[in-house]
Amino acid sequence: MTGTGTDTIEDAEDAEDAEEPLTDGGAAGADEVALDPWGSSSVSDYRKLFEEFGIEEFDELLADLPHPHYLMRRGVIFGHRDYRPVLEAMREGDPFAVLSGFMPTGDPHIGHKLVFDEIIWHQEQGGDAYALIADLEAHAARGLTWDEIDEHARDYLLSLLALGFDLEDGTVYRQSTEREVQDLAFELGIEANFSELGAIYGFDGETDVSHMQSVVTQMADILYPQLEGPKPTVIPVGPDQDPHVRLARDLASRMRYFGVTTAYASFEATEDELSVIGAAYDARESYADDPDQPRCVEAAQWLESGGTGVTEVETVEEDARDRAISKLENAGMEPLRPRTRFLNRRATEEAFEALIDTVEGEKRVFDEHVDAFDLDHDEAAEIARTIELAHDGYGFQPPSSIYHRFMTGLTGGKMSSSIPASHISLLDDPEDGYDKVKAATTGGRETAELQRELGGRADECPVYELYAYLLAGDDDEFAKRVYDECVGGERLCGDCKEQAAHLMKEFLREHQEKREEVADLLEAADIELESPRRG
Ligand code: TRP
Ligand code: SF4
């Protein structure tokens, strides 16, 4: 699931208590895993996602987005990883892509609609749009048969098209038939090993090989839009998918032929050592015999004696300082001199040779790196990517993501596919949709008098969520009016639900009509609707 409410995530403290039976090495076995793509629990505190996982707050980007979607404006899309490059591309009219995937394990429901809408919105903003059916994952990780998968896959795709996905301009595919995805997955698998998957997902010796393969397949999905050339790509998902996003970002960098860093001498240094050495370089006036040519050993002595007055040096971990000092000491009389370094990570021999030839100005060539003295970081990064692409490399950019909140179930608690009354399927009979909303739990008070006096609790009300996430559509004023009237005590739950139920019925009716209208489009589309696979 794309984190749509049926799949929810464990918050860090609850992770160990989760007692979901896991048949083939899901994440609950690993204490340190708190975001679980195949688990089942709920986010109790979104703030933790920022603090513990480094997800960034989406709000901070809102002002820079030309026409934010209502899900962004209303905080339903609450977090992101590295969305800026996508935002910039959108503003500049440069290429960018959006991709998400759906495990066809049941009917598409109103939680999935959030993701459909996110894909479609990015497509409307000029992005290359991709939607995929994660059938391999559903088969391997959830044990669905191919017949079941085919049926659900068609339903997801019909709803996606009915909501406005433009097939002429966008791409839909299923994992099982997309040869390029399989091939890319195989290549990516070379950069990921079992211990790593174990640490991330809690896989162990009992985990099915195909389940693991579905992970590298998802990595390939996420990078697929960049097979046509590197570009910013956003993956809209629920926060339960964040481990996948982090791994994909890692793999994207690991696949690169060259790394580009700054260096000050011929030896290699880690990021934290570099910040110490950089600070020592900046302070050269205060210790070098000849400040035009400070020596490594002089910098080492200065650092040894405390390197006073320089915050970078004082705040960095002692350990990094010691490592920097010993490297500088070893380099002895070598001059300390800033340069841009190309590290050879996994380039072919020809690509490395070509890089060496391309670097202009003063350069120094080592076994596994080239130092350029007349190039800044951005120029160097550009050269590195160009050479990589010219020599059969991918040149991937790390993919970005946006995260939306899970919807609360209509019966309170979490929205779950296995509790029909808790969610509304996009295929529900409109009358049933109406009834489910009428029967929903609310944030209302015990009596009408109390409600008038104290106001309702819209923030804890699944019915208000329906308005904000779906029923109010783009109409912010309407959503706000419902909210204000509720908390102001002017709105009573009976009428409020009646209105919501009616809107839901209308929505379902129209949506289902549109599904029928787009059926032919889907038949004509370049996607296999019936899998020839067995089992
Ligand atoms: N794992 C996702 C889910 O459980 C489905 C998926 C497969 C996906 N490939 C993807 C999601 C690529 C986003 C991007 O729903
Ligand atoms: Fe929820 Fe509406 Fe009742 Fe407010 S009035 S608590 S929004 S059902």
Side-chain angles (χ1 to χ4, degrees):
M1 304 276 150
T2 315
T4 42
T6 52
D7 259 12
T8 45
I9 66 173
E10 294 167 10
D11 85 80
E13 270 158 31
D14 293 340
E16 286 157 61
D17 304 330
E19 302 244 279
E20 284 285 306
L22 293 166
T23 47
D24 70 350
D31 298 348
E32 72 275 21
V33 179
L35 283 167
D36 177 2
W38 299 285
S40 150
S41 52
S42 56
V43 182
S44 61
D45 186 352
Y46 284 90
R47 269 171 316 177
K48 282 201 181 139
L49 300 181
F50 303 129
E51 286 157 18
E52 289 177 28
F53 297 97
I55 290 174
E56 300 165 83
E57 296 196 35
F58 197 84
D59 269 4
E60 287 157 17
L61 301 175
L62 263 189
D64 295 337
L65 268 168
H67 310 287
H69 189 271
Y70 71 81
L71 294 171
M72 298 171 171
R73 302 199 299 266
R74 293 180 202 153
V76 177
I77 295 170
F78 70 92
H80 73 102
R81 239 177 232 289
D82 197 20
Y83 188 68
R84 265 210 188 267
V86 177
L87 188 156
E88 296 300 340
M90 208 182 289
R91 281 169 41 148
E92 301 295 319
D94 291 339
F96 70 96
V98 56
L99 172 141
S100 197
F102 304 90
M103 237 207 291
T105 51
D107 288 352
H109 57 62
I110 54 176
H112 298 109
K113 177 180 180 289
L114 302 180
V115 186
F116 295 147
D117 285 345
E118 291 174 81
I119 296 176
I120 293 163
W121 181 81
H122 282 93
Q123 182 174 44
E124 288 165 358
Q125 308 304 307
D128 296 335
Y130 296 77
L132 67 101
I133 298 298
D135 56 357
L136 292 180
E137 185 181 356
H139 191 59
R142 290 280 165 83
L144 267 81
T145 67
W146 288 100
D147 278 348
E148 291 167 324
I149 287 172
D150 286 348
E151 181 194 332
H152 299 313
R154 183 187 298 267
D155 280 330
Y156 277 81
L157 292 167
L158 284 175
S159 280
L160 175 72
L161 299 188
L163 289 167
F165 184 88
D166 179 356
L167 256 186
E168 308 236 308
D169 249 357
T171 305
V172 291
Y173 70 88
R174 51 195 295 169
Q175 290 176 326
S176 64
T177 54
E178 200 56 38
R179 180 61 202 250
E180 280 189 295
V181 167
Q182 295 303 312
D183 291 351
L184 178 57
F186 187 83
E187 297 297 323
L188 295 169
I190 295 172
E191 286 296 322
N193 66 33
F194 175 66
S195 316
E196 183 179 26
L197 296 195
I200 297 174
Y201 301 109
F203 288 169
D204 60 23
E206 301 301 307
T207 305
D208 299 342
V209 172
S210 296
H211 191 168
M212 291 191 250
Q213 194 181 334
S214 78
V215 170
V216 285
T217 304
Q218 178 158 354
M219 298 303 108
D221 290 331
I222 292 176
L223 295 169
Y224 183 57
Q226 298 196 59
L227 286 182
E228 288 177 353
K231 55 170 119 24
T233 305
V234 59
I235 314 296
V237 277
D240 60 313
Q241 298 291 306
D242 185 54
H244 290 309
V245 171
R246 275 181 282 160
L247 178 58
R249 288 173 58 79
D250 263 13
L251 289 177
S253 334
R254 272 184 245 162
M255 292 296 283
R256 295 300 308 275
Y257 279 13
F258 308 105
V260 175
T261 60
T262 304
Y264 292 89
S266 55
F267 56 81
E268 306 260 333
T270 57
E271 199 114 333
D272 51 357
E273 293 162 9
L274 274 179
S275 82
V276 179
I277 299 170
Y281 176 77
D282 292 342
R284 62 193 178 281
E285 299 278 348
S286 67
Y287 59 77
D289 267 352
D290 173 4
D292 285 340
Q293 212 174 68
R295 307 283 177 171
C296 287
V297 63
E298 292 176 313
Q301 281 158 3
W302 177 77
L303 285 168
E304 195 83 71
S305 69
T308 43
V310 179
T311 24
E312 282 93 331
V313 179
E314 281 156 9
T315 53
V316 85
E317 275 180 43
E318 209 171 314
D319 183 42
R321 231 177 89 141
D322 290 348
R323 281 183 270 119
I325 291 175
S326 89
K327 286 186 179 177
L328 287 164
E329 270 167 359
N330 282 338
M333 290 300 282
E334 185 183 340
L336 202 56
R337 198 178 152 204
R339 68 209 58 196
T340 301
R341 173 163 299 168
F342 296 88
L343 294 165
N344 182 1
R345 289 221 197 98
R346 64 193 316 266
T348 56
E349 224 167 276
E350 299 86 78
F352 193 47
E353 290 302 321
L355 178 83
I356 295 166
D357 290 345
T358 310
V359 171
E360 285 178 5
E362 190 183 343
K363 63 187 156 194
R364 227 160 272 171
V365 178
F366 300 82
D367 270 358
E368 290 302 337
H369 67 257
V370 183
D371 284 355
F373 293 87
D374 303 318
L375 285 177
D376 68 24
H377 187 279
D378 288 356
E379 292 166 331
E382 179 74 34
I383 292 173
R385 180 166 268 132
T386 307
I387 299 285
E388 179 175 343
L389 289 170
H391 289 82
D392 290 338
Y394 297 101
F396 291 133
Q397 291 191 24
S400 315
S401 54
I402 51 176
Y403 301 111
H404 57 77
R405 285 174 192 268
F406 296 117
M407 286 178 101
T408 312
L410 295 175
T411 43
K414 64 180 190 183
M415 190 176 271
S416 161
S417 305
S418 50
I419 312 171
S422 77
H423 74 277
I424 291 174
S425 154
L426 296 175
L427 313 182
D428 273 349
D429 185 282
E431 289 300 336
D432 292 344
Y434 178 94
D435 291 343
K436 282 186 189 179
V437 177
K438 288 285 274 200
T441 316
T442 71
R445 308 283 172 181
E446 288 68 41
T447 65
E449 289 81 73
L450 271 178
Q451 177 106 343
R452 287 206 186 84
E453 196 184 316
L454 302 171
R457 286 160 293 205
D459 288 317
E460 292 156 39
C461 178
V463 178
Y464 176 69
E465 261 182 40
L466 292 179
Y467 282 103
Y469 286 45
L470 188 151
L471 301 174
D474 204 39
D475 189 346
D476 286 350
E477 257 169 58
F478 177 36
K480 187 166 180 333
R481 186 160 12 104
V482 172
Y483 187 91
D484 290 345
E485 288 175 1
C486 169
V487 299
E490 295 152 54
R491 186 175 264 267
L492 299 184
C493 296
D495 290 348
C496 184
K497 286 209 277 189
E498 174 64 30
Q499 187 181 17
H502 178 74
L503 289 170
M504 184 61 80
K505 185 166 78 181
E506 287 303 298
F507 163 74
L508 289 172
R509 225 199 28 217
E510 265 177 45
H511 179 67
Q512 289 166 16
E513 264 171 36
K514 288 209 195 104
R515 281 173 53 100
E516 279 175 25
E517 285 164 27
V518 297
D520 291 346
L521 280 180
L522 183 59
E523 290 304 323
D526 181 23
I527 184 166
E528 227 170 290
L529 295 169
E530 269 155 48
S531 173
R533 297 194 182 209
R534 304 182 187 185

